[in-house]
Amino acid sequence: MNNPIVVALDVPSAAEALRLVRQLGDAVQWYKVGMELFAAEGPAFVRQLAAAGHFVFLDMKYYDIPETVKRATAVVASLGAKLLTVHAVDQVMRAAVDGRQGSDLKLLGVTVLTSFDESDLRMEGYSATVAELVAARVARARAAGVDGIVCSPVEVARVREIAGPDAILVTPGVRSAGADKGDQKRVATPRQALASGASLLVIGRQITRAADPRAEALRIRAEIE
Ligand code: C5P
């Protein structure tokens, strides 16, 4: 059965991450490894997770010159990761597409960080609105051969329209009704996010900080079905 939950392993060590993975067992198939855990434990941890049969989403948000992105992407593909994020800038995306050739690594574009608002864009020299820049970058991502987009559940319906039915749309900011939102401001429930067009849902603290993470993951799956 197809399980859209991606648990964000936002913990500082492989020991803590593996404890969660063991607790979750077959309730979860996908794990997101971000900068913190990768900085701490590196490729060995990704290889270990992938070798154990889990699907690894490596959230590295690459942004560098094409040769560097291409080579680093090829290395990520060799680790057995299934998803990698890169910034949705044309040069970077085309280099990543080049680097993953011959592997089954899928690429996700990060359009505009959700911490950016229009005044941040102005400061960086962009005259577009956030929505305009997101839309343009989604279209270029697909044209470059990038497989999907990371987007908020609030924008996922619009992104789906632009990206097309085959795109892999991954949304963080997902919380069940009544769950603690933490620092997330614009959240949707798992059902709402899927109904709006999300393919995979990144869920961190609602699961990782639950008294019983496995029970919480199973509860969310039941809520989705
Ligand atoms: O704990 P929580 O469910 O809020 O974790 C969400 C995960 O998604 C974290 O790893 C966070 O870095 C990531 N994320 C996010 N919002 C974005 C992009 C990524 O929450 N706009």
Side-chain angles (χ1 to χ4, degrees):
M1 207 211 61
N2 143 29
N3 177 359
I5 298 173
V6 182
V7 171
L9 290 174
D10 295 325
V11 294
S13 71
E16 277 178 67
L18 290 172
R19 189 175 335 121
L20 269 168
V21 171
R22 260 195 308 274
Q23 282 176 336
L24 288 164
D26 62 5
V28 170
Q29 187 166 33
W30 278 99
Y31 289 97
K32 182 168 89 73
V33 175
M35 285 185 196
E36 180 189 13
L37 186 54
F38 194 79
E41 303 287 353
F45 176 73
V46 173
R47 272 201 205 92
Q48 184 181 355
L49 208 54
H54 303 292
F55 293 172
V56 182
F57 166 7
L58 199 51
D59 190 12
M60 302 301 290
K61 297 189 179 69
Y62 281 156
Y63 190 165
D64 210 318
I65 58 168
E67 182 64 11
T68 303
V69 170
K70 176 184 161 184
R71 295 170 65 96
T73 301
V75 174
V76 166
S78 77
L79 299 179
K82 291 206 178 289
L83 279 177
L84 170 69
T85 48
V86 302
H87 281 273
V89 170
D90 203 60
Q91 233 184 46
V92 173
M93 295 190 289
R94 290 186 186 275
V97 167
D98 206 8
R100 67 92 182 265
Q101 262 182 48
S103 75
D104 62 1
L105 177 68
K106 303 280 189 221
L107 299 168
L108 300 176
V110 174
T111 56
V112 179
L113 295 174
T114 48
S115 54
F116 274 51
D117 62 16
E118 246 110 80
S119 69
D120 296 298
L121 291 185
R122 285 299 98 69
M123 189 170 68
E124 300 302 330
Y126 293 94
S127 53
T129 64
V130 171
E132 286 165 353
L133 194 53
V134 167
R137 287 183 167 175
V138 170
R140 279 202 295 274
R142 298 295 283 153
V146 161
D147 308 283
I149 299 291
V150 180
C151 55
S152 88
V154 178
E155 65 190 4
V156 67
R158 175 81 186 113
V159 171
R160 174 62 72 196
E161 280 175 23
I162 304 168
D166 303 336
I168 305 168
L169 303 188
V170 180
T171 58
V174 176
R175 289 287 184 284
S176 298
D180 183 3
K181 289 186 187 149
D183 52 4
Q184 298 281 13
K185 298 204 172 93
R186 292 179 300 155
V187 301
T189 67
R191 271 186 95 98
Q192 285 164 344
L194 291 169
S196 305
S199 321
L200 292 170
L201 313 172
V202 175
I203 303 178
R205 290 161 290 182
Q206 188 188 336
I207 290 175
T208 60
R209 298 197 186 167
D212 183 343
R214 179 179 164 81
E216 187 67 10
L218 291 174
R219 209 190 50 66
I220 295 171
R221 283 177 63 177
E223 182 183 320
I224 292 167
E225 286 152 25

